[in-house]
Amino acid sequence: MTIYDISKQAGVSIATVSRVLNGSENVKPKTRKKVLDIIEQCGYTPNVFARGLGLNSMKTVGILCADSSDIYLAKAVYHIERNLKTAGYHSILNCTGYDLAHKKEGLSLLLNQRVDSIIMVGSNFISENEKDNQYIRDAAKQVPVMLLNGDLDCENVFCTMCDDYKSMKEVTGRLLSQKIHDILFLYHSRTYSSMKKLAGYQAAYVSMDLPLSKDLTCFFNGSHEDIDGVCDYLCNLHDKGLRFRAVVAADDMLAVGAVKYARKMNLRIPQDIKIVGYNNSILSVCSEPKLTTVDNHLELLCSQLVKTCICTLGGTSQPAKTIFSGEIILRESANL
Amino acid sequence: MTIYDISKQAGVSIATVSRVLNGSENVKPKTRKKVLDIIEQCGYTPNVFARGLGLNSMKTVGILCADSSDIYLAKAVYHIERNLKTAGYHSILNCTGYDLAHKKEGLSLLLNQRVDSIIMVGSNFISENEKDNQYIRDAAKQVPVMLLNGDLDCENVFCTMCDDYKSMKEVTGRLLSQKIHDILFLYHSRTYSSMKKLAGYQAAYVSMDLPLSKDLTCFFNGSHEDIDGVCDYLCNLHDKGLRFRAVVAADDMLAVGAVKYARKMNLRIPQDIKIVGYNNSILSVCSEPKLTTVDNHLELLCSQLVKTCICTLGGTSQPAKTIFSGEIILRESANL
DNA sequence: TTGTAAGCGTTATCAA
DNA sequence: TTGATAACGCTTACAA
């Protein structure tokens, strides 16, 4: 079933069928109706490969994501896909893992598919080592690249992010104001976003003229689902003599690990130890007690990102960076 | 940069370049090397649209998923994508939501993209109302359809699933053996999978000649992330006089809701009330106490499903149904 | 308002 | 072992 079959049955040329298909004005209403009827009746749908070949686009964007099974990234992918679909675009998903070589591989796979744009989901795609961002710059020479929670100054790269620095500074500052000066900062990746959070944590101390202890900046080197591992890690630190009356974590999973630690140590939350999570994920409500956490308005970020993407593809100039503020969600694990 | 450019630079015809590209034997090694060098040097990659047009395939499968932000479905999508990529296929993701009309829409969007196969992730795509499955049968006339955790007898539809009936019967049976006869079955969707779980729950009673109480089969009508809602729901049931010493839930989120309920009612877990989850998700470890739950080997299911998909596309005949058994994971919320 | 025909970049058949 | 050429099914200038 091709455009030729339709044109024959309708007694018109393929050009006319094509015009009808593409909603051109220059078709006599009567002709349009006849063609439309036959298309309907035959259940004909245009061949997207042929159309793609002619237009050099299949209205598809590539979503690059290290791990779409991660609670937070999964939500991002979901919202991005839904927004893209609304705008008439298809989503090719490519999960790369956290290894740079595989990220490059995934990216080139998508570019070879001739996607109209690339969306990189998660700050882990940006490295502190500028050399490791070159593959993104290269990609941007071919198609517009959208970064969710990543920051890169580059032509044709658009960044949509949450101000993690500000949120974390605010959270830490509130704890410091409560005379809690021994706050442990807990993170488990060195992504752009994590580094911003760390900077915010440190800035809070500095702005209040309080001394920072290196020992309280703690990196958990484990899986992003290993709650027990986090608990053990903290117990270990405690055994080594480290003391702290609060934990601010780079994500909710880490915070839940801290909650488990507190229970194990028979510390009351929040009286003896305050714990703050990040992302306002389902884990923060699942936890007992529930986590005070930061909501970075992911859904909003995603819809803005897709808007930027679509507008860019449509040829209207867009801001290189869009930054939203997070929001502190007060629950039981810390009264800020 | 097209195949013509390469052919000119190499001083051969496009046919030869095409042969090199497709690894044909019938090319003189020396010629092959020359062509390969020029391709490399120019950074040429074939146009997938043109190739797709000629071959009527872009090596792409469509992944249909109601909600890829759901903890469980997200994991499924992730593993499926990774397996497909390994097999050389791209994944177009389409999140439909739970509404039938939108599912049909998503499906036809994918079919119009001329995907090689459709993978439906999650038992929610199968309805008890046979009429509502017709759209799947129709799709199967065009491409092979793979169902994850769904069962449908139909040519060109392949089902890979976990035996939820058996797992749930086993769990319920073990509780009954402990002389706990007032077990509440908690579910929040009427998917194929949920119905299987319910049937397993009921079968355990029947096989032990124990009476079933309709009142203990409880449907929570709320979002799949609303832990507090589940808690309230159970409190409400309690207020109305319903009593139970165990809860078996259709997923971990519901079980966590039951845990919250127990805490609110000052019931000790597992002494006063035993709670069993389903899926062995991160929630089961996040929960306090940790959940006894059922692991249905999702990763294995996904890899088997993709294997079936790829083999079917490759033309080798595959079993219409593949069924795996789940595994009970004992933790703190119930000693089975 | 409609039709003709060129072009998109491959693959594959057939001939040499 | 290679090359010429048709076919894939559409969009779109240009002509009528």
Side-chain angles (χ1 to χ4, degrees):
Chain A
M1 180 66 55
T2 75
I3 201 171
Y4 286 93
D5 301 318
I6 302 297
S7 78
K8 260 175 222 154
Q9 289 202 42
V12 298
S13 75
I14 61 164
T16 298
V17 177
S18 177
R19 285 188 197 100
V20 170
L21 246 21
N22 294 290
S24 162
E25 293 288 288
N26 306 320
V27 181
K28 192 160 59 170
K30 200 168 168 182
T31 313
R32 183 196 317 281
K33 177 162 173 29
K34 185 171 27 166
V35 172
L36 246 22
D37 284 350
I38 292 182
I39 285 175
E40 161 92 332
Q41 170 192 319
C42 300
Y44 163 80
T45 55
N47 183 307
V48 287
F49 300 150
R51 181 176 262 171
L53 181 56
L55 301 177
N56 199 31
S57 160
M58 272 179 65
K59 298 266 264 176
T60 295
V61 327
I63 301 179
L64 218 51
C65 178
D67 180 359
S68 71
S69 79
D70 176 282
I71 266 183
Y72 182 74
L73 299 179
K75 283 229 179 302
V77 167
Y78 171 76
H79 287 121
I80 288 171
E81 190 279 334
R82 299 216 72 165
N83 279 285
L84 283 172
K85 178 162 48 195
T86 302
Y89 281 79
H90 295 268
S91 300
I92 300 190
L93 176 64
N94 194 308
C95 303
T96 61
Y98 291 94
D99 178 56
L100 179 61
H102 291 134
K103 289 180 190 170
K104 290 183 181 174
E105 226 169 79
L107 179 57
S108 78
L109 231 39
L110 289 177
L111 290 175
N112 286 347
Q113 276 300 98
R114 301 287 206 270
V115 295
D116 295 314
S117 173
I118 295 277
I119 297 177
M120 301 179 121
V121 178
S123 62
N124 58 79
F125 283 98
I126 300 296
S127 168
E128 293 188 277
N129 184 347
E130 188 45 48
K131 207 185 68 194
D132 290 346
N133 295 327
Q134 187 56 42
Y135 74 115
I136 302 180
R137 298 181 189 280
D138 292 341
K141 286 169 193 156
Q142 298 186 47
V143 295
V145 174
M146 308 289 140
L147 263 36
L148 179 67
N149 286 336
D151 192 356
L152 187 70
D153 277 307
C154 177
E155 175 84 27
N156 216 23
V157 171
F158 300 84
C159 310
T160 309
M161 45 193 164
C162 178
D163 195 340
D164 295 323
Y165 170 87
K166 190 164 82 178
S167 298
M168 198 50 106
K169 185 177 173 190
E170 174 72 19
V171 164
T172 309
R174 290 199 196 175
L175 286 168
L176 292 175
S177 303
Q178 296 182 19
K179 305 279 180 246
I180 299 176
H181 294 173
D182 45 351
I183 308 171
L184 186 149
F185 178 81
L186 184 57
Y187 64 128
H188 75 319
S189 69
R190 304 186 199 284
T191 62
Y192 171 79
S193 174
S194 287
M195 291 303 113
K196 282 291 173 194
K197 290 169 190 166
L198 174 55
Y201 162 81
Q202 293 170 333
Y205 274 86
V206 170
S207 77
M208 294 179 79
D209 265 331
L210 292 167
L212 266 164
S213 159
K214 281 269 177 205
D215 293 340
L216 288 172
T217 295
C218 299
F219 184 82
F220 169 67
N221 192 3
S223 133
H224 66 92
E225 294 210 338
D226 188 8
I227 291 174
D228 287 337
V230 174
C231 176
D232 293 344
Y233 172 71
L234 291 176
C235 288
N236 209 348
L237 289 178
H238 183 272
D239 290 348
K240 286 182 179 156
L242 193 67
R243 293 296 178 272
F244 43 93
R245 282 178 297 155
V247 173
V248 294
D251 75 18
D252 286 336
M253 184 284 290
L254 293 168
V256 171
V259 166
K260 299 281 180 186
Y261 154 82
R263 301 188 82 95
K264 206 165 184 174
M265 292 292 172
N266 281 314
L267 299 171
R268 291 166 305 163
I269 307 172
Q271 298 90 331
D272 303 330
I273 184 170
K274 300 188 195 305
I275 298 172
V276 183
Y278 212 101
N279 284 347
N280 194 23
S281 70
I282 190 171
L283 296 187
S284 62
V285 184
C286 177
S287 166
E288 182 66 37
K290 292 179 191 161
L291 296 178
T292 289
T293 186
V294 174
D295 187 315
N296 46 23
H297 301 307
L298 182 60
E299 191 168 350
L300 179 61
L301 285 173
C302 292
S303 91
Q304 178 58 48
L305 179 145
V306 170
K307 202 175 294 174
T308 305
C309 179
I310 301 303
C311 290
T312 301
L313 290 174
T316 68
S317 171
Q318 291 292 308
K321 300 192 188 186
T322 314
I323 303 176
F324 291 92
S325 291
E327 177 187 356
I328 298 174
I329 308 291
L330 294 178
R331 295 211 185 85
E332 302 156 0
S333 69
N335 45 338
L336 300 182
Chain B
M1 179 68 53
T2 75
I3 201 171
Y4 285 93
D5 301 317
I6 303 297
S7 78
K8 259 175 223 154
Q9 289 202 41
V12 297
S13 74
I14 61 163
T16 298
V17 176
S18 179
R19 285 188 197 102
V20 170
L21 245 21
N22 294 288
S24 160
E25 293 288 289
N26 306 320
V27 182
K28 192 163 59 170
K30 200 168 170 182
T31 313
R32 182 197 317 282
K33 177 161 171 32
K34 186 174 21 172
V35 171
L36 246 22
D37 284 350
I38 291 181
I39 286 175
E40 161 91 333
Q41 170 192 321
C42 300
Y44 161 80
T45 56
N47 183 305
V48 287
F49 301 150
R51 181 175 265 171
L53 180 57
L55 301 177
N56 199 32
S57 159
M58 272 178 67
K59 298 266 267 178
T60 297
V61 328
I63 301 180
L64 217 52
C65 177
D67 179 359
S68 72
S69 79
D70 176 282
I71 267 183
Y72 182 74
L73 299 179
K75 282 228 181 301
V77 168
Y78 171 76
H79 287 121
I80 289 171
E81 190 278 335
R82 298 215 71 164
N83 279 286
L84 282 172
K85 178 161 49 194
T86 302
Y89 280 79
H90 295 268
S91 301
I92 300 190
L93 176 65
N94 194 308
C95 303
T96 61
Y98 291 94
D99 178 56
L100 180 61
H102 290 135
K103 288 179 190 172
K104 290 183 182 174
E105 224 169 80
L107 179 56
S108 79
L109 230 40
L110 288 177
L111 290 175
N112 286 347
Q113 277 299 99
R114 300 286 205 273
V115 294
D116 295 313
S117 174
I118 295 277
I119 297 177
M120 303 179 120
V121 178
S123 61
N124 59 79
F125 284 98
I126 299 295
S127 168
E128 292 187 278
N129 183 347
E130 188 45 47
K131 208 186 66 193
D132 289 346
N133 296 328
Q134 188 55 42
Y135 74 114
I136 302 180
R137 297 181 190 281
D138 292 341
K141 286 168 193 156
Q142 298 186 47
V143 295
V145 174
M146 307 290 139
L147 263 38
L148 179 66
N149 285 336
D151 194 355
L152 187 70
D153 278 308
C154 177
E155 175 83 26
N156 217 23
V157 171
F158 300 84
C159 310
T160 309
M161 46 195 164
C162 178
D163 195 341
D164 295 324
Y165 171 87
K166 190 165 83 178
S167 298
M168 197 52 105
K169 185 177 172 192
E170 174 73 19
V171 164
T172 308
R174 291 199 195 175
L175 287 168
L176 292 174
S177 303
Q178 297 181 18
K179 306 277 180 248
I180 300 176
H181 295 175
D182 45 352
I183 308 172
L184 187 148
F185 178 80
L186 184 57
Y187 64 129
H188 76 317
S189 70
R190 304 187 199 284
T191 61
Y192 170 78
S193 174
S194 287
M195 291 304 112
K196 282 291 173 193
K197 290 170 190 167
L198 174 55
Y201 162 81
Q202 293 169 334
Y205 275 87
V206 170
S207 78
M208 293 178 79
D209 265 331
L210 292 166
L212 266 165
S213 158
K214 280 270 178 206
D215 294 339
L216 287 172
T217 295
C218 300
F219 185 81
F220 169 67
N221 194 2
S223 133
H224 66 90
E225 295 211 336
D226 188 9
I227 291 174
D228 288 337
V230 175
C231 176
D232 293 344
Y233 172 71
L234 290 176
C235 288
N236 208 351
L237 289 178
H238 184 271
D239 289 348
K240 285 181 180 157
L242 193 69
R243 293 295 178 271
F244 43 93
R245 282 179 297 157
V247 174
V248 293
D251 75 18
D252 286 335
M253 185 282 291
L254 293 167
V256 170
V259 166
K260 298 282 180 186
Y261 154 82
R263 301 188 81 94
K264 206 165 184 172
M265 292 293 172
N266 279 316
L267 299 170
R268 290 167 307 163
I269 308 172
Q271 297 90 333
D272 303 330
I273 184 171
K274 300 187 196 305
I275 298 171
V276 183
Y278 212 102
N279 284 347
N280 194 23
S281 69
I282 190 171
L283 296 187
S284 62
V285 184
C286 176
S287 166
E288 182 66 36
K290 292 179 191 161
L291 296 178
T292 287
T293 187
V294 175
D295 187 314
N296 45 23
H297 302 307
L298 181 60
E299 190 168 350
L300 180 61
L301 285 173
C302 292
S303 91
Q304 178 59 47
L305 180 145
V306 170
K307 203 175 292 174
T308 305
C309 179
I310 300 302
C311 289
T312 302
L313 291 174
T316 69
S317 171
Q318 291 292 307
K321 301 193 189 187
T322 314
I323 303 175
F324 290 91
S325 292
E327 176 188 356
I328 298 174
I329 308 291
L330 295 177
R331 294 211 185 85
E332 303 156 359
S333 69
N335 45 336
L336 301 181

